[in-house]
Each structure stands twice: as structure tokens, then as C-alpha cells.
Amino acid sequence: MRYIKKSLIVLSLISVLGVAISCSSLREVQVNSSKLSESVYAVTDSLVVWDDALHFLVIGDWGRKGDYHQQDVANRMDEAAKRMDAEFVIALGDNFYPNGVASIDDPNWMFSYENVYKGYHLEIPWHVVLGNHDYRGNPQAQVDYTNKSQRWNMPSRYFDYEFTDEETGLYVHFLFLDTCPLEKKYYTEDAYANVKTQDSTKQIKWLDSLMISKPKADWTIFSGHHPLYSGGKRIEDTEQIRNSLQPILKRSNADVYFAGHEHDLQYIKPEGRTHHFISGAGSEVRRTGMIEGMSKFAASVQGFMAVSITKEHMLVQVINYKGNIIYTTEIKKE
């Protein structure tokens, strides 16, 4: 009887210890799971979402087959698009590294686009411009892919898009530029021979004609690959594009100009009406910096921008590949 009692006591102790060990392990798993959840879904928890606003995402310099945190950025974009109920994505060029695509059947479409931005909430229109690396391949193939894809939208080398909301009356005019032909240096480099097929004067005339033919918008937003200002690597290499586009932005009363090309995230506000944002951190990044008296923000980290617009205000939230909101600014309509 004593032996049986002792055995029962031992078994009971083992059972209790087993439960304790099991519970301890369970708590550790739960803590780790919680940490993972906070890391992955931070953008969902902290993202500011305005009611009755137009929401969209902005990304540039991204096509690297998922590498350099491209896949992480894509996942955070999907979460942000879900939380905001985003209408579309603006893609700012250098869509495929290193040399664009060869055709509409190039494998890079799958490796760098379709299989990376595969989240359900990114199955929305992508309004896309060409970058210099895209000109190293077959830029017309990216135009033609519009007819193959339900979400890729590049109907021509440059185009516009008008967003209207009947309930709020919001009217935003988006203009998408082909900036490579505006850079003279590309005309002397064999890698960019395709720019010689474009007429930059024709594009400028087209822009001016839109300002005459279209009604006055609540917001006028330009997007192109090359920035007019930068505190990054090309701080001294923006004069050419600035000379070409600055007069157009001024004549058009442009509120915002989105650009890529610099592999970083920046917000620059020079004198005048136009706010300049660089969102070129879709994959590989470089060191960046600030322009004295103009730069409001600069970061060398992979990420994108989430934008919300009402008739009177614009909110820009900069989100890194971990889902952290690293900068926010609100612009009041002038």
C-alpha cells in the first residue's frame, strides 16, 4: 500500500510538473507569436485612415525579384491597402532591374511583379511610369502589357487619369510623365538608345493642352521617375530635369510631384506651390541626405508612401518595410 501511495505521489508530481512545463512552453510560444504579430501588422494598427477620402500608395525603384526587402515592402503594401481600402498604386519607374523587360512574356513580369505583389488587396489598378532602367530594355513592352494585365495601367509613355467622387465632389487630376527623354545625357549613351524614339517637345505640348482642356481640379498631382530636387546621391544631378519640368509645374499649378530614381524616401518643399516627394525605396536603398532650407524628411530604408486626399487636405504617411510609420505630414490645400 505504501508503495502504491508513493507511486501515486510520484506520478502526481510528474503530472503537475508536466503541466507546468507544458504551460511554460505554451506561454513562450504565445509571446513569440505576439511579437511576430506586432512586427508584421504594425502598419494595420497605427495607420491613420481618413473617412471619405481618396487613398492610394506610391512606390518606385522596385523590380528586383523580391530581393533587398522588395517582398517585405510588398507585404506591407498589401496590409496598408487593406486597411485604407486603397483605390490604386502609383509606380514611379525602374520597374525591372537591371535592363527592363524584353517583351510582354519576359519572365521578369512574374519574378519581379506578379509573384511579388500578389496580395489580394494589391489587385487594384497600378498607374505606372517608365524609369531609366526600363529604357534599357523594351519600354514599349511595358505599354503593351496594359492589354494583357487587368491591373497594370500604362496606356502610353505618358498619360493622365482623372479621379472623381460623386459623393464628396472630390476631383483629382493625375498626370504621369515620361521623364527619360527630358534628360539630355541619355541621348549619348548606347544603353538608352530608346529615348531617341521619343519627342520630348510633343510631351510638353500635350501637358500644356491638358491644362487648357481640363476643368480646374481640387488637386493636380504629377508623377515621374526623375526628381527635380534631391538630398541623396544625385543632389547635384537634378538641374536638367528641373529646367524642363519646373516651368510646367508652375504653369499647371501643380500641388504635388512624386518621383523615384533616388533609392530612398524624401519630402522636399522648395519655394512655390509644389510639394516634392521621392518614394524610390521599393527594394535596394542608398545613403541619402537633406537640402538645407528645403528638406523636411529623408530616410535610407526600404518602404513606400500611403496618401489620403480630401478636398482641403492631403495626408502622406511614410511606411518602412517593417510596417513602421516613420514620417507623417499633412498638407493643406492652398
Side-chain angles (χ1 to χ4, degrees):
M1 289 292 292
R2 289 179 181 177
Y3 176 78
I4 293 174
K5 287 182 179 179
K6 287 182 180 179
S7 298
L8 288 172
I9 292 171
V10 170
L11 287 172
S12 297
L13 287 172
I14 292 173
S15 177
V16 169
L17 286 172
V19 170
I21 291 170
S22 179
C23 288
S24 175
S25 300
L26 180 60
R27 280 198 298 271
E28 184 177 355
V29 170
Q30 287 174 336
V31 169
N32 289 341
S33 176
S34 175
K35 287 180 179 179
L36 178 63
S37 177
E38 288 175 5
S39 173
V40 173
Y41 296 105
V43 63
T44 306
D45 299 333
S46 56
L47 193 69
V48 175
V49 181
W50 285 353
D51 293 332
D52 300 322
L54 164 65
H55 306 291
F56 59 93
L57 309 179
V58 184
I59 186 175
D61 303 80
W62 41 271
R64 295 183 185 272
K65 300 181 179 179
D67 288 344
Y68 299 97
H69 291 298
Q70 183 193 1
Q71 186 62 68
D72 294 321
V73 173
N75 294 343
R76 303 296 83 75
M77 288 174 63
D78 183 54
E79 293 156 12
K82 177 182 180 180
R83 178 77 175 87
M84 300 175 75
D85 193 17
E87 293 279 347
F88 53 82
V89 175
I90 292 178
L92 296 167
D94 279 3
N95 310 313
F96 302 96
Y97 288 96
N99 299 311
V101 292
S103 69
I104 60 172
D105 298 314
D106 192 303
N108 271 325
W109 286 108
M110 298 305 296
F111 294 143
S112 288
Y113 180 57
E114 301 290 1
N115 289 345
V116 176
Y117 305 98
K118 57 185 180 294
Y120 176 81
H121 299 91
L122 295 180
E123 289 294 331
I124 53 181
W126 283 57
H127 301 302
V128 190
V129 302
L130 294 165
N132 55 298
H133 281 269
D134 302 310
Y135 260 95
R136 291 183 180 185
N138 179 359
Q140 186 58 40
Q142 295 196 38
V143 175
D144 296 340
Y145 197 72
T146 301
N147 298 321
K148 182 176 180 178
S149 170
Q150 288 187 329
R151 58 176 174 166
W152 184 273
N153 182 52
M154 190 192 296
S156 60
R157 303 288 177 95
Y158 49 88
F159 58 99
D160 72 322
Y161 167 68
E162 298 174 86
F163 175 87
T164 57
D165 188 317
E166 294 181 358
E167 292 184 6
T168 64
L170 177 65
Y171 170 44
V172 186
H173 193 191
F174 294 90
L175 300 103
F176 300 93
L177 308 183
D178 184 9
T179 58
C180 289
L182 302 177
E183 287 276 11
K184 290 182 179 178
K185 64 183 180 182
Y186 293 147
Y187 290 84
T188 61
E189 299 181 28
D190 292 341
Y192 301 110
N194 280 311
V195 300
K196 297 177 182 179
T197 65
Q198 297 304 296
D199 185 345
S200 58
T201 302
K202 183 178 179 181
Q203 180 176 189
I204 292 172
K205 289 181 178 178
W206 169 78
L207 285 168
D208 284 335
S209 70
L210 286 180
M211 294 305 103
I212 297 171
S213 62
K214 299 292 184 180
K216 180 176 173 53
D218 295 309
W219 296 85
T220 301
I221 298 176
F222 282 74
S223 296
H225 182 63
H226 295 81
L228 277 68
Y229 302 91
S230 174
K233 175 184 176 182
R234 296 181 171 89
I235 190 169
E236 298 179 355
D237 191 29
T238 57
E239 184 178 0
Q240 178 66 52
I241 197 72
R242 186 164 60 250
N243 289 342
S244 296
L245 288 182
Q246 187 82 300
I248 295 169
L249 296 181
K250 187 174 182 179
R251 291 198 300 270
S252 305
N253 290 319
D255 296 292
V256 173
Y257 179 75
F258 287 113
H261 200 41
E262 292 284 58
H263 296 183
D264 54 34
L265 299 160
Q266 298 183 53
Y267 170 34
I268 301 167
K269 181 58 177 69
E271 290 185 6
R273 181 189 190 91
T274 310
H275 299 259
H276 294 255
F277 292 92
I278 296 176
S279 183
S283 55
E284 183 188 44
V285 294
R286 293 189 290 254
R287 288 184 180 180
T288 189
M290 310 278 279
I291 305 174
E292 186 176 355
M294 289 197 290
S295 292
K296 306 296 184 183
F297 165 79
S300 177
V301 63
Q302 289 89 343
F304 62 99
M305 295 183 180
V307 184
S308 302
I309 300 179
T310 66
K311 288 177 74 70
E312 299 296 333
H313 295 87
M314 173 184 293
L315 177 67
V316 179
Q317 300 176 84
V318 183
I319 304 167
N320 68 13
Y321 71 96
K322 295 181 179 180
N324 306 126
I325 298 175
I326 58 176
Y327 181 77
T328 299
T329 187
E330 184 175 334
I331 301 169
K332 190 178 188 308
K333 175 68 179 180
E334 294 184 6

